[in-house]
């Protein structure tokens, strides 16, 4: 099955990318992202997968029938290389390992995230500090709402958050038959996100670091870091400094040039930084105020038009932009007694 450059990438099937590399989109029910791409790499020493999908019966059934069409079974998967710990990439690797014994590898930087999830499951509470982030952003009311949504979301697949067999290190080489994939740490979307670079074939398995049509959320993770957007922009510049490659993203169609898309993403964030700065200069004080002043998605929605989950992502992303503006000395910040960060134009 081949797909056109823009439409139809999420349709079930297998896209043959040549020389034993296959793109397989798997379903994400009720998700605006529509599908997650997993990549099968076949060689004489077995089948290796980059990312695994969300552990759902429909997803595993589609993976099985897709692999069958290229002569493999799910139990032939020798190893999963997972780009980051989000459920649509990681959980199916754990589910398949449990039954068929595949090895699961994940970036070493994700260990705090998985540890936090495991601790939260044990203590029967929500993972992470989204509520803290939202309160700091001046959006305490939304924090309560989000906790209710997450309670229903997290209940289902607690068993699929076990640890990987192996933590991948930066610059580590993974042999896949005749190919060598180099592990590159690209923190930002999550703190331990990694991409896999096949320099010889000029392919970049980019996970959610570089997506062709959308910008990945920043810092939505169980154990957040202080400056996720700074890290993300640094990681974009890092892949820009490497030789250009074909972009094999986790969501969206394969694209010819990582560099072209990275340039667009850097420009997008430059624009967002300027808009956020202007909003503060015009009087917005908290991340929530600034998110209200900005427009969201390509359709230029107002914050209040987004559903609560997307409002949460928009506000935490705005906070990340404001924090970078502080690092760049374009804004100043002070924290009020009740823990809310208030921004103002830098006196210098
Ligand atoms: Zn994703």
């Amino acid at each position: 099955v081949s797909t056109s450059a823009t439409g139809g990438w999420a349709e079930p099937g297998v896209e043959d990318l040549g020389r034993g590399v296959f793109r397989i989109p798997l379903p994400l029910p009720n998700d605006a992202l529509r599908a997650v791409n997993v990549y099968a790499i076949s060689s004489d020493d077995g089948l290796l997968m980059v990312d695994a999908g969300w552990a759902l019966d429909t997803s595993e059934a589609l993976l099985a029938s897709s692999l069958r069409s290229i002569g493999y079974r799910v139990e032939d998967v020798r190893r999963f290389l997972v780009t980051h710990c989000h459920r649509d990439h990681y959980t199916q690797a754990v589910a398949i390992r449990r039954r068929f014994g595949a090895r699961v590898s994940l970036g070493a930087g994700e260990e705090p995230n998985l540890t936090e999830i495991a601790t939260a499951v044990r203590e029967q509470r929500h993972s992470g500090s989204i509520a803290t982030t939202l309160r700091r952003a001046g959006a305490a009311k939304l924090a309560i709402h989000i906790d209710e949504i997450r309670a229903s979301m997290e209940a289902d697949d607690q068993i699929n958050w076990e640890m990987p067999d192996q933590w991948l290190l930066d610059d580590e080489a993974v042999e896949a038959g005749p190919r060598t994939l180099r592990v590159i740490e690209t923190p930002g979307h999550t703190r331990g996100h990694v991409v896999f670079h096949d320099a010889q074939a000029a392919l970049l398995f980019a996970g959610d670091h570089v997506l062709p049509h959308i910008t990945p959320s920043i810092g939505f993770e169980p154990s957040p870091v202080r400056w996720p957007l700074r890290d993300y922009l640094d990681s974009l510049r890092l892949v820009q400094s490497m030789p250009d490659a074909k972009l094999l993203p986790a969501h969206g169609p394969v694209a010819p040039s990582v560099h072209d898309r990275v340039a667009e993403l850097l420009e997008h964030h430059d624009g967002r930084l300027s808009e956020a700065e202007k909003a503060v200069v015009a009087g917005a004080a908290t991340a929530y105020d600034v998110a209200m002043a900005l427009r969201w998605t390509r359709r230029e929605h107002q914050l209040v038009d987004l559903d609560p989950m997307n409002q949460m992502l928009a506000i935490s992303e705005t906070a990340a932009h404001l924090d970078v503006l502080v690092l760049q000395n374009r804004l100043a910040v002070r924290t009020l007694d009740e823990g809310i960060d208030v921004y103002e134009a830098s006196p210098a």
Side-chain angles (χ1 to χ4, degrees):
V1 176
S2 69
T3 53
S4 71
T6 52
W9 71 271
E11 291 301 311
V14 177
E15 182 181 8
D16 186 348
L17 299 171
R19 295 183 53 221
V21 179
F22 302 90
R23 185 183 68 87
I24 304 172
L26 297 178
L28 299 180
N30 308 320
D31 194 310
L33 293 171
R34 293 165 64 211
V36 56
N37 293 322
V38 300
Y39 293 89
I41 302 172
S42 77
S43 74
D44 292 344
D45 29 291
L47 196 62
L48 198 136
M49 304 281 310
V50 175
D51 282 331
W54 183 344
L56 299 163
D57 292 344
T58 49
S59 178
E60 193 184 309
L62 188 57
L63 178 62
S65 63
S66 302
L67 289 179
R68 212 175 303 127
S69 76
I70 55 170
Y72 286 100
R73 299 165 305 164
V74 173
E75 44 269 60
D76 294 328
V77 178
R78 187 169 55 86
R79 189 170 181 191
F80 286 100
L81 302 173
V82 184
T83 57
H84 63 294
C85 74
H86 282 162
R87 79 176 61 208
D88 54 327
H89 300 256
Y90 185 67
T91 53
Q92 186 144 268
V94 174
I96 290 174
R97 173 178 70 182
R98 189 176 305 117
R99 298 215 317 282
F100 301 116
R103 269 165 64 77
V104 179
S105 302
L106 184 70
E110 294 294 57
E111 189 168 6
N113 280 330
L114 279 189
T115 300
E116 166 59 13
I117 293 170
T119 309
V121 167
R122 201 167 50 240
E123 294 173 359
Q124 299 188 311
R125 60 170 174 82
H126 300 309
S127 63
S129 55
I130 290 168
T132 316
T133 306
L134 288 175
R135 278 186 202 102
R136 188 164 73 79
K141 239 166 77 183
L142 184 63
I144 297 163
H145 204 83
I146 292 293
D147 271 351
E148 287 165 6
I149 295 171
R150 296 182 74 218
S152 62
M153 271 176 58
E154 286 186 352
D156 42 0
D157 60 4
Q158 290 180 353
I159 58 162
N160 292 323
W161 290 111
E162 292 159 5
M163 292 288 166
D165 301 288
Q166 187 208 358
W167 296 111
L168 297 167
L169 301 175
D170 192 36
D171 211 27
E172 183 172 336
V174 177
E175 304 299 333
R179 290 172 191 279
T180 302
L181 301 181
R182 201 157 66 89
V183 178
I184 318 260
E185 285 183 349
T186 51
H189 178 59
T190 63
R191 62 194 295 161
H193 192 289
V194 295
V195 299
F196 301 97
H197 185 215
D198 180 342
Q200 228 220 323
L203 300 177
L204 188 73
F205 298 87
D208 284 0
H209 181 47
V210 183
L211 297 171
H213 292 158
I214 54 173
T215 60
S217 67
I218 297 300
F220 175 49
E221 57 188 327
S223 176
V225 294
R226 185 65 188 89
W227 285 291
L229 182 65
R230 176 197 62 184
D231 297 348
Y232 179 65
L233 297 174
D234 285 348
S235 296
L236 285 179
R237 289 185 201 103
L238 176 69
V239 296
Q240 201 180 34
S241 74
M242 293 161 33
D244 200 5
K246 194 182 255 192
L247 172 60
L248 277 51
H251 309 281
V254 171
S257 164
V258 170
H259 283 188
D260 286 357
R261 184 54 184 152
V262 167
E264 290 172 4
L265 288 165
L266 286 169
E267 195 182 302
H268 164 83
H269 283 290
D270 273 350
R272 291 303 266 181
L273 286 166
S274 299
E275 287 165 21
E277 182 181 23
K278 271 187 211 139
V280 171
V281 170
T286 64
Y288 176 71
D289 295 340
V290 175
M292 289 285 281
L294 297 178
R295 292 296 166 266
W296 295 94
T297 80
R298 261 180 236 173
R299 301 201 179 92
E300 304 275 301
H301 285 308
Q302 307 220 31
L303 184 72
V304 292
D305 298 331
L306 305 177
D307 66 42
M309 277 306 274
N310 280 303
Q311 286 189 36
M312 181 273 290
L313 292 173
I315 293 166
S316 58
E317 178 140 344
T318 304
H321 280 91
L322 293 169
D323 290 340
V324 164
L325 288 165
V326 172
L327 283 180
Q328 294 177 346
N329 289 319
R330 290 158 71 179
L331 294 179
V333 64
R334 66 200 155 81
T335 304
L336 304 182
D337 289 344
E338 54 271 45
I340 299 173
D341 281 350
V342 169
Y343 297 84
E344 55 197 34
S346 193

